[in-house]
Amino acid sequence: AKYIFAVTTAKEFRGKGYASELIEKIKAEDDSLLILRPVNEGLIPFYEKLGFQVTSNVFIEAGLEHVIMELKL
């Protein structure tokens, strides 16, 4: 499994597909499972479009809400 934590894109580069491209390159490495912790809940729909599913309840860490998402390859 590969673990991805808090992917962020600088504001001026958002919407250009960089994060999607990064995820696709990781997926192409042919691992069996990607585990992801989005930096905020607002990004969940973005990662769902890439095939990830929420696999945990919301939990608090460092004062922020988090979930775990997984993509089985």
Side-chain angles (χ1 to χ4, degrees):
K2 289 191 169 66
Y3 183 72
I4 304 167
F5 177 74
V7 174
T8 59
T9 305
K11 199 177 258 187
E12 64 269 22
F13 296 105
R14 291 180 190 159
K16 298 181 188 290
Y18 295 125
S20 297
E21 185 176 339
L22 174 67
I23 299 293
E24 291 302 322
K25 286 183 186 257
I26 294 168
K27 286 167 60 174
E29 292 180 2
D30 196 32
D31 207 332
S32 60
L33 178 67
L34 291 178
I35 301 168
L36 171 74
R37 280 180 59 185
V39 72
N40 68 56
E41 286 187 80
L43 292 170
I44 291 173
F46 169 75
Y47 289 114
E48 287 176 331
K49 286 183 201 172
L50 295 174
F52 286 87
Q53 296 179 342
V54 175
T55 58
S56 75
N57 293 323
V58 175
F59 60 94
I60 306 294
E61 184 174 288
L64 300 171
E65 292 184 350
H66 293 276
V67 297
I68 302 293
M69 299 183 79
E70 295 181 357
L71 173 62
K72 293 182 176 141
L73 302 174

